[in-house]
Amino acid sequence: MTEPIVININNEFDIVLARQKGREVSKELLFGGVDQARITTAISELARNIYLYAGSGQITISILEDNGRRGIQISASDNGPGISDIRMVLQDGFSTSGGLGAGLPGVKRLMDTFDIDSVPGAGTTITISKWAR
């Protein structure tokens, strides 16, 4: 796979499809079972957030290559309401949906890199990556 895989997130079935595609790519890149689970969990959380908070958006899955290393990059983007206080949503226990508040902080812990860009009223893009060991 050289072209990124783009999954439009409009319903719960799309969340499952994004997870499946993430697992397929991570398997292709020879990630171990634990890292495959980490990647699919992170994708699931990001896709679920798109669906719950923005209504629709996209998950993009790309392969990274750097000096013989291979990895996976996932970008979750939407044109939803945005996040007014990024520091707050990255705190363990913070939830706007009544959940456990482990969502974005958990995603950050599962992956090697985590970048968030959000503009209130204009949307959010979160980009994460993990390198194969």
Side-chain angles (χ1 to χ4, degrees), residues 45 61 67-68 80 85 92 96 98 100 105 107 109:
E45 179 63 27
I61 301 170
N67 292 328
D85 190 342
D92 283 318
T96 57
L100 296 174
V107 169
R109 282 191 297 272

Side-chain angles (χ1 to χ4, degrees), residues 4-112:
I5 296 171
V6 179
I7 303 105
N8 291 317
I9 305 297
N10 297 301
N11 57 54
E12 292 180 357
F13 297 110
D14 297 333
I15 298 169
V16 173
L17 178 61
R19 280 180 60 95
Q20 290 171 338
K21 293 294 181 186
R23 185 171 297 278
E24 287 172 16
V25 173
S26 62
K27 224 177 195 179
E28 176 184 319
L29 292 171
L30 304 177
F31 278 95
V34 172
D35 280 340
Q36 288 179 36
R38 288 180 176 132
I39 291 163
T40 56
T41 299
I43 291 171
S44 181
E45 179 63 27
L46 295 177
R48 188 183 69 80
N49 284 353
I50 289 171
Y51 176 65
L52 286 177
Y53 299 113
S56 65
Q58 291 183 327
I59 296 285
T60 304
I61 301 170
S62 306
I63 292 177
L64 299 172
E65 296 192 53
D66 182 40
N67 292 328
R69 293 186 336 158
R70 296 185 87 195
I72 189 169
Q73 177 175 287
I74 297 101
S75 177
S77 59
D78 65 63
N79 295 315
I83 300 168
S84 59
D85 190 342
I86 291 173
R87 284 193 352 206
M88 185 167 287
V89 300
L90 291 176
Q91 290 179 14
D92 283 318
F94 177 80
S95 175
T96 57
S97 66
L100 296 174
L104 291 181
V107 169
K108 188 174 182 180
R109 282 191 297 272
L110 291 171
M111 303 300 285
D112 294 336

